[in-house]
């Protein structure tokens, strides 16, 4: 009988990948905390209706990609395809909308989309995301973009930033009508998907990946030329703040995002180094989503980074830190080593070998754990209250007082 394998598009994270994964999460969390975010964790399984109402019934995510099933209690549930909906549900459920004020939350964890797996596209992938509630100032939009830039800069990742404004309930419907008129005239030449979208969600036509459709869309009306005064002023201000902070961006009027909850600012960070699935982070403003999910109207904005895509690009920046290997040369030394290990683990990764061995064997084992410092205790050291150490990087050997180690 064949051994059981993990499901297609779902990977174990182990070895070097897990080192990178935790290194990323630790440092992205540190940066988020410096921006005033606190950690939130929401369930992986939610009611299907949550995503239908937020991400949108006409989106590919809800339409084609959900891991949806009826549970033993006859509830229609699904594995979360993204993080924002659950966080907004929690915000409303815990009545933060009624309390008022500003909330900044970050999260990371697995997301599930039943897509066709390929390089950079998984069925179970991980996001690091942030959501802000209660701030309508466009400075927050800039803040979010600058924070993503800080994270990418920390990991020395080059990127392109694409920016758009999707308008608001005042200007978007007017623009949508203009767009539908334009699209109806070229309907016959557009692909099948575009034709379906003209009916269900015409803005998504702009996002079509087919070259011929993109050519036909060249002269389509642009949302940025159809914004109301408030949206236009906000968009100009956002560009001004980004310019002031030397953050380069491109305006992409076809950037509509695959989720329906956005209004005004929408953005995507891409990298040309990871193949066709080039989006490493995406997000935007969702000022109506809280209300849509039954809460009191509260502005919101956020983003998510695709951790697997980002890890393809991460170069470990830190100097390799010391790793200590502790070994006993006789049985009696083991107890002393347990005390030393506890002390060193305050700030240094420390391995302890539980079997007393000779020098040569200890050095071989130390090499296997990637130790940079080998520290050994035997009869002489026990009698003198000392410890033998060798620094593998410099090859320096020393026998020092235990309290100095
Ligand atoms: P999203 O653009 O759908 O946005 O996903 C964010 C990121 O997740 C993408 O840029 C990509 O790096 C990664 N990603 C998406 N699908 C896959 C996949 N199948 N395999 C690997 N990585 C993937 C959202 O999910 C929004 N919730 C972001 C947001 C937060 N907007 C406001 N707040």
């Amino acid at each position: 009988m064949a051994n059981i394998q993990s499901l297609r598009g779902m990977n174990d994270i182990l070895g070097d990948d897990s080192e990178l994964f935790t290194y990323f999460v630790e440092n992205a969390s540190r940066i988020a905390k410096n921006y005033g975010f606190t950690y939130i964790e929401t369930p992986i399984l939610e009611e299907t209706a949550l995503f239908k109402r937020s991400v949108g019934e006409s989106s590919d995510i809800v339409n084609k990609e959900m891991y949806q099933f009826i549970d033993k209690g006859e509830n229609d549930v699904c594995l979360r395809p993204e993080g924002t909906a659950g966080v907004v549900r929690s915000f409303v459920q815990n009545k933060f909308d009624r309390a008022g004020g500003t909330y900044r939350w970050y999260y990371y964890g697995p997301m599930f989309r039943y897509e066709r797996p390929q390089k950079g596209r998984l069925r179970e992938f991980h996001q690091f995301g942030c959501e802000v509630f209660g701030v309508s100032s466009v400075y927050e939009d800039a803040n979010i973009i600058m924070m993503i830039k800080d994270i990418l800069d920390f990991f020395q990742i080059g990127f392109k930033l694409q920016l758009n404004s999707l308008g608001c309930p005042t200007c978007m419907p007017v623009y949508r009508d203009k767009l539908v008129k334009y699209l109806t005239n070229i309907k016959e030449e557009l692909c099948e998907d575009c034709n379906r979208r003209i009916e269900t969600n015409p803005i998504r036509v702009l996002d079509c990946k087919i070259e011929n459709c993109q050519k036909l869309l060249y002269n389509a009306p642009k949302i940025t030329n159809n914004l109301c005064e408030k949206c236009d002023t906000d968009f100009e201000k956002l560009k001004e703040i980004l310019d002031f902070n030397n953050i380069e961006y491109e305006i992409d009027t076809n950037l509509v995002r695959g989720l329906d909850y956005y209004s005004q600012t929408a953005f995507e960070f891409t990298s040309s180094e990871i193949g066709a699935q080039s989006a490493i982070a995406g997000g935007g403003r969702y000022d109506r989503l809280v209300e849509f999910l039954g809460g009191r109207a509260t502005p919101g904005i956020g983003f998510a980074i695709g951790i697997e895509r980002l890890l393809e690009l991460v170069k470990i920046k830190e100097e390799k830190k010391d790793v200590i290997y502790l070994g006993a040369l006789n049985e009696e030394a083991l107890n002393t080593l347990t005390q030393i290990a506890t002390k060193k683990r305050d700030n240094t990764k420390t391995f302890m070998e539980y079997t007393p061995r000779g020098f040569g064997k200890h050095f071989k084992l130390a090499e296997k754990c990637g130790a940079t410092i080998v520290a050994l205790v035997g009869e002489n050291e026990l009698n003198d209250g000392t410890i033998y150490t060798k620094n593998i990087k410099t090859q320096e050997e020393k026998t020092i007082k235990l309290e100095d180690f």
Side-chain angles (χ1 to χ4, degrees), residues 334-389:
L334 283 170
N335 281 356
T336 304
L337 287 190
T338 57
Q339 287 182 338
I340 303 171
T342 306
K343 180 179 150 203
K344 296 315 283 182
R345 282 172 182 152
D346 268 353
N347 52 24
T348 313
K349 182 157 143 186
T350 303
F351 291 104
M352 176 180 159
E353 166 59 31
Y354 302 140
T355 310
R357 300 175 189 280
F359 254 65
K361 186 74 188 163
H362 274 313
F363 273 97
K364 275 203 186 116
L365 290 174
E367 196 184 329
K368 275 198 185 150
C369 351
T372 57
I373 294 170
V374 179
L376 306 176
V377 176
E379 197 181 334
N380 292 344
E381 289 79 10
L382 277 182
N383 288 338
D384 301 345
T386 56
I387 186 165
Y388 160 87
T389 65

Side-chain angles (χ1 to χ4, degrees), residues 27-83:
N27 285 289
S29 304
R30 176 180 54 73
I31 293 168
K33 285 182 201 163
N34 287 346
Y35 273 79
F37 286 78
T38 54
Y39 183 67
I40 178 169
E41 186 152 333
T42 62
I44 288 167
L45 203 61
E46 297 266 9
E47 265 189 53
T48 302
L50 172 65
F51 301 104
K52 284 193 174 169
R53 258 191 249 169
S54 54
V55 176
E57 300 228 35
S58 66
S59 67
D60 284 351
I61 294 179
V62 168
N63 237 324
K64 306 184 192 161
E65 297 167 3
M66 296 233 281
Y67 277 87
Q68 182 182 355
F69 61 96
I70 305 294
D71 75 4
K72 292 192 202 314
E74 299 292 310
N75 305 297
D76 187 348
V77 295
C78 74
L79 296 176
R80 62 182 183 193
E82 60 101 53

Side-chain angles (χ1 to χ4, degrees), residues 166-273:
L166 296 174
C168 68
T170 308
C171 48
M172 181 40 105
V174 182
Y175 168 69
R176 194 184 291 120
D177 286 350
K178 272 196 195 172
L179 183 65
V180 169
K181 262 192 205 128
Y182 178 88
L183 296 175
T184 313
N185 280 333
I186 55 166
K187 213 173 157 146
E188 263 88 83
E189 294 160 84
L190 288 168
C191 74
E192 219 175 279
D193 258 358
C194 284
N195 268 282
R196 193 174 42 80
R197 284 182 174 145
I198 296 175
E199 308 297 328
T200 56
N201 192 354
I203 310 299
R204 287 297 314 279
V205 173
L206 297 174
D207 203 22
C208 183
K209 299 286 175 281
I210 295 174
E211 212 183 315
N212 186 48
C213 295
Q214 277 305 325
K215 271 190 202 150
L216 293 163
L217 291 168
Y218 190 75
N219 290 320
K222 308 273 179 270
I223 174 72
T224 45
N225 297 332
N226 289 275
L227 295 172
C228 63
E229 206 183 322
K230 158 98 175 62
C231 289
D232 193 44
T233 312
D234 281 351
F235 198 43
E236 289 305 313
K237 184 72 192 170
L238 174 60
K239 290 191 273 180
E240 182 197 309
I241 306 168
L242 296 179
D243 290 339
F244 189 78
N245 284 282
N246 296 322
I247 296 177
E248 285 179 29
Y249 55 86
E250 250 172 40
I251 304 296
D252 180 356
T253 52
N254 287 349
L255 176 73
V256 295
R257 314 262 307 123
L259 310 98
D260 287 353
Y261 47 64
Y262 295 110
S263 55
Q264 294 204 306
T265 308
F267 56 81
E268 229 159 59
F269 285 73
T270 58
S271 162
S272 53
E273 290 170 47

Side-chain angles (χ1 to χ4, degrees), residues 309-325:
R309 288 190 195 168
L310 188 117
L311 292 190
E312 285 269 301
L313 297 160
V314 167
K315 301 165 186 69
I316 294 254
K317 211 175 97 172
E318 269 185 336
E319 272 278 289
K320 252 199 160 298
K321 286 191 180 145
D322 273 331
V323 176
I324 297 173
Y325 173 94

Side-chain angles (χ1 to χ4, degrees), residues 61 81-84 107 113 115 120-123 125-127 129-131 257 259 261-262 268-269 279-284 286 301-309:
I61 294 179
E82 60 101 53
T84 311
Y107 54 89
R113 295 185 193 175
E115 296 190 80
R121 193 203 274 156
L122 295 162
R123 287 183 171 169
F125 60 99
H126 295 76
Q127 287 185 343
C130 285
E131 312 294 348
R257 314 262 307 123
L259 310 98
Y261 47 64
Y262 295 110
E268 229 159 59
F269 285 73
I280 41 182
Y286 48 83
I301 179 166
F303 71 91
I305 294 175
I307 301 185
E308 282 84 356
R309 288 190 195 168

